[in-house]
Amino acid sequence: MAESGFPFPLEPFSCPLCTDMLRDPVTLPCGDTYCLDCIKIYWDQFDHMGVYNCPQCRTTFTPRPALRRNVPDVSIEPLRQPPALTPFPDLQRESFCDFCVGRRNKAVKSCLMCLAYYCETHVKPHYESSTFKRHKLVDETGHLDRKICPQHEKGLELFCRTDQMCICVLCTVREHRSHNITSAEEERIEKQKVLVVTQSEVQHIIQDRMKELQELKHNVDVLKSAAQRAQTESNKTFHEMQQAVERWHAEINQMIEANMKAAMSQAEGYVERLEQEILELQRRDAELRQILETEDNIHFLQQNFPTLCIPPEPMVPKVLINPQFSFGEMSKTATEMKEHVDDTCKKELSRISKTVSETPVYILLPRNGDKRLKVPSRIDFHEPKTRPDFLRYACKMSFDANTAYKELSISEGNQKVTRKKTVHFYPDHPERFDGFSQVLCREALTGFRFYWEAEWSGEFSVGVAYKSISRKGKNSHSLLGYNDKSWSLLCSDSGYSAWHSKADQDLPAAPQASRIGVYLDYAGNTLALYSVSETMELIHRFKAQFTEPLYAGFGVGSSVTLCQLKHNTTTHLAPY
């Protein structure tokens, strides 16, 4: 019996990772037990892979098992047998010299002949004495028992390719006779070649994942910025709506006040005339009463009876309130306006809420042909192919007068811009182009997909630009397509050319059209331009890493008109 009083040694209740007594022991689903902190630290390094294994038996777990503290029952726990050898290297653990007296130093080598661990001091005889020249020293990584044949207690120096396991020299006599045997060193060289290829593939995958991680972080930042801008625009819109409601409120109150004042003014005139008529009738009544009350017969008979006997003519027509007129109609109108606004807001909010809830933010695409992950069929994540597909992303655009060059005239509700020889005296503005005949649109484009069309005459350029593009001077910094802040397609009667950062890209011949369609996939880092007539033909596609909100931009030779597109399902051109 051991000195501790237990019927077997305590080694089975030490942690295989730290080799100390178990602290807060936890048992894995495979049955092996570890310190809670040790196994957590060990598994944390595999979080990026999502696959976890037992350091001893190599059983894999997916997902990471939940760990719960337990107390092993030492009265029935059997002595655990050494784990079977596996082709995978075990986790390196710390071992100590078997020959140190007192405080044991860390082992740096182990001898497969002596079956012992050596520190830097006690390993020297193996290097200096010829007695140990046949001994096999190996770097100490722990688990010396795994380097010894459990049957013959000889060092494992050979590898049986038939059984795929390490063996000693005596194993070749019986258990592995006539098997395909090679040295452990030669087998390592062969397997190392395979591992080098695998490592190269893993490194390539790591590079791809790092690139995906950067793109994902960038797109998350784009989503966050888009949400903040949407909130700002929403606040601005509802503030304007509130101001509009206050104006309507004031107008209705003014209307009620004006009608009340007009009615009161008319009523005052009628009241004054009725009061005068009553005074006149009262005076006539007093005269008649005086004549009727006289006792002098001669005086009574001498009155001008024909005049006195004629009833007085009415001075004022009878005044009645028109039952068809009521201030209640104005109150009713205000109520109807409120209900109409409420109905519109509820309808639009329900529509956009449904759209947002049915549109996933993230898309899970299968890797390596894995068919278990499927993209929802109701969503087409590919670039649109037909015009109705593009019209799903149609957005309303308007020219920003604060950016227009001095010779440009904006009309038709900011939907058309025309270049004229006369100079328009626009007020000074930091966003105005003062060197080139260019103009930007007001709408910031970021986050998802957008599509718009423009009709042109004369030489013209169309594209997108960051808000930070220079506006001053006649140089490449402020010309669309001639800097790293803008992308543009130059259109003329002779053909098309694509520009970015002063680079002109040769374009194949494309059909001439007076209407150009622009498709921006911000998240997909794509800007595509199409000629639009009876069909749509791709002219050029830019690939870029967009980092700021974009604005539609135009270089105007003669005139440019923004086409008013509608979401429809036909192939006909949408009306302007």
Side-chain angles (χ1 to χ4, degrees):
M1 182 175 292
E3 294 179 358
S4 63
F6 290 102
F8 49 84
L10 287 176
E11 282 77 3
F13 303 105
S14 62
C15 175
L17 293 173
C18 67
T19 69
D20 289 333
M21 290 295 293
L22 289 167
R23 299 182 304 277
D24 294 330
V26 293
T27 300
L28 307 187
C30 62
D32 291 321
T33 303
Y34 300 88
C35 297
L36 176 62
D37 289 339
C38 293
I39 192 64
K40 286 178 64 177
I41 293 172
Y42 176 74
W43 275 352
D44 286 345
Q45 61 187 321
F46 297 103
D47 279 344
H48 67 287
M49 298 174 61
V51 179
Y52 308 86
N53 58 56
C54 172
Q56 290 201 103
C57 67
R58 289 295 173 183
T59 302
T60 58
F61 309 103
T62 303
R64 180 171 176 166
L67 299 176
R68 295 181 176 84
R69 294 182 177 88
N70 68 290
V71 179
D73 185 357
V74 298
S75 63
I76 61 174
E77 178 80 15
L79 179 63
R80 188 182 301 279
Q81 296 297 323
L85 293 175
T86 66
F88 298 98
D90 212 347
L91 179 69
Q92 182 173 348
R93 70 180 185 185
E94 202 172 66
S95 299
F96 298 92
C97 179
D98 290 325
F99 297 90
C100 289
V101 178
R103 183 177 181 181
R104 301 167 65 189
N105 293 323
K106 181 179 178 181
V108 295
K109 293 287 184 179
S110 58
C111 179
L112 299 183
M113 293 289 290
C114 302
L115 302 182
Y117 296 110
Y118 294 92
C119 64
E120 290 183 354
T121 300
H122 291 105
V123 78
K124 289 181 180 179
H126 276 73
Y127 294 117
E128 299 170 353
S129 175
S130 60
T131 304
F132 302 102
K133 65 180 181 180
R134 294 184 180 275
H135 287 211
K136 178 69 173 179
L137 289 176
V138 295
D139 291 335
E140 176 46 40
T141 58
H143 306 295
L144 180 59
D145 54 338
R146 298 189 183 183
K147 301 170 187 175
I148 306 301
C149 177
Q151 288 184 319
H152 307 111
E153 296 187 352
K154 295 289 185 180
L156 299 174
E157 299 178 347
L158 303 174
F159 186 82
C160 176
R161 288 177 173 172
T162 304
D163 295 331
Q164 288 294 302
M165 62 184 297
C166 294
I167 62 175
C168 69
V169 175
L170 296 181
C171 289
T172 62
V173 178
R174 295 184 61 184
E175 293 85 353
H176 298 273
R177 179 184 296 177
S178 302
H179 287 191
N180 185 3
I181 308 297
T182 185
S183 69
E185 183 178 359
E186 290 179 355
E187 184 65 17
R188 178 208 169 118
I189 292 174
E190 293 300 318
K191 282 184 163 51
Q192 190 167 338
K193 292 178 182 178
V194 178
L195 290 181
V196 167
V197 174
T198 303
Q199 184 186 28
S200 176
E201 293 176 353
V202 170
Q203 291 175 348
H204 181 70
I205 293 173
I206 290 173
Q207 293 176 355
D208 289 343
R209 297 300 184 272
M210 291 296 292
K211 182 178 179 181
E212 289 180 13
L213 177 62
Q214 293 176 354
E215 291 179 354
L216 179 59
K217 287 183 176 180
H218 166 71
N219 290 333
V220 168
D221 290 338
V222 169
L223 283 174
K224 183 178 180 181
S225 299
Q228 292 173 344
R229 278 189 293 273
Q231 192 174 42
T232 301
E233 290 295 327
S234 175
N235 291 339
K236 178 182 177 182
T237 300
F238 277 94
H239 178 67
E240 293 174 351
M241 288 175 60
Q242 185 177 358
Q243 290 180 324
V245 170
E246 290 176 354
R247 287 197 305 270
W248 298 333
H249 183 199
E251 288 182 8
I252 288 182
N253 282 345
Q254 289 176 1
M255 187 182 301
I256 294 174
E257 187 73 20
N259 278 273
M260 183 186 69
K261 287 182 178 179
M264 293 301 101
S265 176
Q266 288 182 349
E268 288 175 359
Y270 292 138
V271 168
E272 183 179 354
R273 292 172 62 185
L274 281 172
E275 288 177 345
Q276 292 177 356
E277 184 173 2
I278 290 171
L279 288 175
E280 182 64 26
L281 290 173
Q282 289 176 344
R283 185 187 61 78
R284 183 76 174 272
D285 178 66
E287 291 180 357
L288 291 174
R289 185 182 302 111
Q290 184 179 7
I291 293 173
L292 290 172
E293 292 178 353
T294 183
E295 295 180 355
D296 188 342
N297 296 329
I298 301 302
H299 176 70
F300 177 84
L301 295 174
Q302 288 180 345
Q303 300 301 316
N304 187 2
F305 280 95
T307 303
L308 293 175
C309 293
I310 298 175
E313 293 289 336
M315 299 174 58
V316 181
K318 186 174 182 179
V319 179
L320 297 175
I321 299 296
N322 186 357
Q324 296 182 351
F325 177 83
S326 173
F327 287 104
E329 286 296 321
M330 297 185 182
S331 299
K332 181 180 178 182
T333 299
T335 301
E336 291 175 350
M337 292 171 66
K338 169 188 170 298
E339 292 175 350
H340 181 71
V341 170
D342 284 343
D343 290 343
T344 301
C345 290
K346 288 178 182 177
K347 179 180 178 181
E348 292 301 316
L349 186 60
S350 175
R351 180 188 63 81
I352 192 62
S353 176
K354 182 179 179 182
T355 300
V356 170
S357 63
E358 291 182 353
T359 304
V361 177
Y362 300 105
I363 308 163
L364 301 180
L365 297 178
R367 298 186 189 274
N368 301 327
D370 187 351
K371 302 302 182 182
R372 291 174 296 177
L373 296 175
K374 293 184 178 180
V375 180
S377 58
R378 61 183 175 79
I379 301 175
D380 180 11
F381 293 112
H382 301 290
E383 184 171 311
K385 300 298 182 184
T386 64
R387 196 159 186 278
D389 293 339
F390 284 99
L391 292 178
R392 291 169 52 195
Y393 306 107
C395 58
K396 182 176 176 59
M397 311 289 283
S398 58
F399 293 117
D400 185 355
N402 291 330
T403 67
Y405 181 63
K406 61 185 178 181
E407 294 180 1
L408 298 180
S409 174
I410 297 177
S411 60
E412 298 182 11
N414 295 329
Q415 300 298 296
K416 183 176 182 179
V417 59
T418 306
R419 186 172 185 180
K420 299 182 178 180
K421 295 182 179 180
T422 57
V423 175
H424 294 267
F425 294 98
Y426 290 117
D428 291 335
H429 199 281
E431 296 183 1
R432 189 176 309 286
F433 290 102
D434 64 6
F436 296 102
S437 179
Q438 299 178 156
V439 63
L440 299 183
C441 286
R442 296 174 178 172
E443 294 74 18
L445 309 174
T446 184
F448 196 51
R449 297 176 171 184
F450 307 90
Y451 178 74
W452 64 96
E453 293 178 355
E455 290 197 334
W456 59 283
S457 62
E459 191 173 89
F460 137 94
S461 63
V462 56
V464 294
Y466 294 144
K467 192 172 185 178
S468 56
I469 187 175
S470 174
R471 315 299 175 92
K472 307 304 177 186
K474 202 165 186 176
N475 52 62
S476 61
H477 297 296
S478 57
L479 183 59
L480 289 175
Y482 277 70
N483 46 70
D484 60 358
K485 298 181 182 296
S486 61
W487 296 257
S488 73
L489 178 73
L490 180 62
C491 308
S492 65
D493 294 337
S494 59
Y496 304 104
S497 59
W499 292 85
H500 176 62
S501 292
K502 292 185 179 180
D504 178 14
Q505 301 186 44
D506 295 332
L507 301 182
Q512 289 288 312
S514 61
R515 180 181 288 209
I516 299 296
V518 185
Y519 169 71
L520 171 64
D521 184 354
Y522 191 97
N525 299 310
T526 300
L527 175 69
L529 300 107
Y530 295 82
S531 64
V532 181
S533 55
E534 294 298 325
T535 60
M536 292 184 63
E537 296 290 339
L538 176 66
I539 301 174
H540 184 69
R541 179 184 288 105
F542 290 100
K543 294 295 292 183
Q545 186 76 28
F546 301 127
T547 58
E548 303 176 28
L550 293 166
Y551 294 80
F554 302 88
V556 184
S558 179
S559 69
V560 177
T561 302
L562 295 171
C563 304
Q564 299 306 301
L565 305 177
K566 295 182 179 179
H567 297 268
N568 57 35
T569 56
T570 65
T571 56
H572 300 293
L573 297 179
Y576 305 159

